[in-house]
Amino acid sequence: MKIYINGKFYDKDNAKISVFDHGLLYGDGVFEGIRAYNKLVFKLDEHISRLYESAHSIMLKIPLNKDQLVKAVIQTLKINKLNDAYIRLIVTRGEGDLGLDPRKCFGKASVIIIADKVKLYPENLYKNGMEIITVSTTRNSHSALNPQIKSLNYLNNILAKIEAVHLGYEEALMLNDSGYVAECTGDNVFMISENELYTPPECMGALRGVTRGAVLKVARAAKIPTHEHVFTRHELYTAEECFLTGTAAEIIPIVKVDGRVIGSGKPGKMTLELMKKFHELTKKDGVKY
Ligand code: PXG
């Protein structure tokens, strides 16, 4: 495996950055997770744009322009001879000293690209649906650390994940400070009620997921009414269908939330239809390499 760091490729064992990098010391940096399907990078522009938006928000200057970064991603995929891949794009603040002050790292931002095989949830969960549980860790409030910033500080999500794993679940449902449904630790949440599709708006603490955006578009094209609307756990418990979306997860059906059976207890009809349409999209929509 060859890993890209600041314009050069290194073997996995030699792919290293400084222990003084503020990405490591403070989680000061931004990242993206991207998929390639059969030599097509899915929604690359959207991921690159979101990375630059996250960086802009934390006043981190990415040392490459968008075109150069796209080229570096493609180069990493080619050098690793991967047709299908999960790509992790990371920009750290760079090397500084033990103080928080990012000015010490000025001009040293590091760009790292790792391309590897994908790891999805176990196959049987796509067929039979997954169970999730609400955890007590609430999603970061946007006045503290806006969930739109895909930063290297993922402790909020990790704390929720630890709770889920401790309770024997793969994924956790996170609420915001007001008790409304926000998202899961690494996936957006959707529900279907009276044949209409709902997902929480960004202001509820949901990341503007690229897969979320793609699913909303696919649903609209299929004439399914879509709503970015607040909802509570009660509405989710009594929904007809539920599913999660994410770059790694794609679309995964949810059949139980906090022990409450959703709909028939099996992956719903509309969920299955959207999964099919999403897979078709990944086969034709993307940047070729
Ligand atoms: N919400 C959060 C908090 C995320 O981190 C998503 C939603 C889905 O967004 P996309 O753009 O991928 O459709 C993400 C992204 C993991 C893991 O190990 C998951 C993400 C990122 C890094 C690791 O589960 N998901």
Side-chain angles (χ1 to χ4, degrees):
M1 186 199 289
K2 298 276 185 203
I3 292 155
Y4 174 103
I5 306 177
N6 297 328
K8 290 198 187 118
F9 285 96
Y10 299 86
D11 288 329
K12 191 178 172 188
D13 288 347
N14 294 319
K16 292 174 181 160
I17 57 155
S18 167
V19 293
F20 287 95
D21 192 304
H22 281 204
L24 174 68
L25 288 175
Y26 302 115
D28 187 356
V30 294
F31 79 100
E32 278 297 318
I34 311 169
R35 282 286 283 276
Y37 297 92
N38 195 23
K39 292 196 164 188
L40 288 174
V41 191
F42 188 61
K43 303 280 177 201
L44 183 56
D45 278 358
E46 282 86 341
H47 284 289
I48 297 283
S49 293
R50 190 169 65 183
L51 184 81
Y52 277 82
E53 282 172 17
S54 294
H56 179 70
S57 190
I58 69 164
M59 296 183 98
L60 169 62
K61 182 154 172 29
I62 299 179
L64 302 174
N65 67 32
K66 287 188 184 179
D67 288 344
Q68 290 168 323
L69 197 52
V70 164
K71 281 199 183 114
V73 169
I74 304 284
Q75 213 186 349
T76 309
L77 286 164
K78 280 188 171 165
I79 216 165
N80 284 290
K81 297 189 172 61
L82 289 163
N83 294 346
D84 295 278
Y86 179 81
I87 305 141
R88 180 59 59 88
L89 186 45
I90 307 153
V91 185
T92 75
R93 185 77 68 182
E95 196 176 329
D97 63 15
L98 293 178
L100 279 178
D101 192 341
R103 285 176 300 184
K104 299 277 169 57
C105 316
F106 187 72
K108 293 180 190 160
S110 278
V111 178
I112 301 163
I113 308 170
I114 309 167
D116 204 353
K117 294 257 149 48
V118 283
K119 186 190 67 69
L120 299 170
Y121 290 118
E123 196 48 48
N124 68 311
L125 297 181
Y126 287 88
K127 219 171 123 229
N128 304 319
M130 186 164 81
E131 297 182 25
I132 56 171
I133 190 157
T134 310
V135 294
S136 61
T137 304
T138 55
R139 191 73 180 99
N140 279 332
S141 85
H142 39 74
S143 58
L145 176 55
N146 196 316
Q148 297 316 318
I149 304 168
K150 214 163 154 49
S151 86
L152 295 180
N153 187 328
Y154 249 52
L155 271 181
N156 179 232
N157 315 61
I158 291 164
L159 287 173
K161 189 79 161 187
I162 286 169
E163 283 190 72
V165 170
H166 183 66
L167 295 163
Y169 293 79
E170 292 273 348
E171 182 55 298
L173 183 68
M174 299 182 81
L175 308 178
N176 63 20
D177 284 345
S178 307
Y180 292 107
V181 172
E183 61 176 342
C184 291
T185 70
D187 300 304
N188 287 113
V189 60
F190 283 81
M191 69 170 191
I192 290 149
S193 183
E194 294 180 358
N195 294 316
E196 304 200 357
L197 186 63
Y198 293 83
T199 194
E202 288 140 31
C203 62
M204 287 295 109
L207 177 75
R208 199 188 316 123
V210 171
T211 320
R212 172 186 181 274
V215 167
L216 285 171
K217 219 168 148 187
V218 161
R220 282 174 197 138
K223 304 269 185 294
I224 299 168
T226 62
H227 310 275
E228 292 177 56
H229 199 276
V230 294
F231 54 87
T232 63
R233 279 196 290 172
H234 171 75
E235 277 134 352
L236 190 53
Y237 295 159
T238 54
E240 286 138 30
E241 299 182 28
C242 174
F243 62 84
L244 309 182
T245 65
T247 295
E250 303 176 322
I251 301 177
I252 181 151
I254 300 300
V255 291
K256 247 186 201 179
V257 180
D258 301 336
R260 278 75 159 181
V261 174
I262 308 300
S264 66
K266 293 203 178 82
K269 199 167 144 265
M270 210 181 264
T271 303
L272 294 172
E273 185 192 330
L274 288 169
M275 284 168 80
K276 189 165 160 271
K277 289 198 152 72
F278 180 79
H279 285 137
E280 282 164 10
L281 189 68
T282 63
K283 285 184 192 136
K284 57 180 193 219
D285 187 318
V287 175
K288 204 163 168 45
Y289 61 95

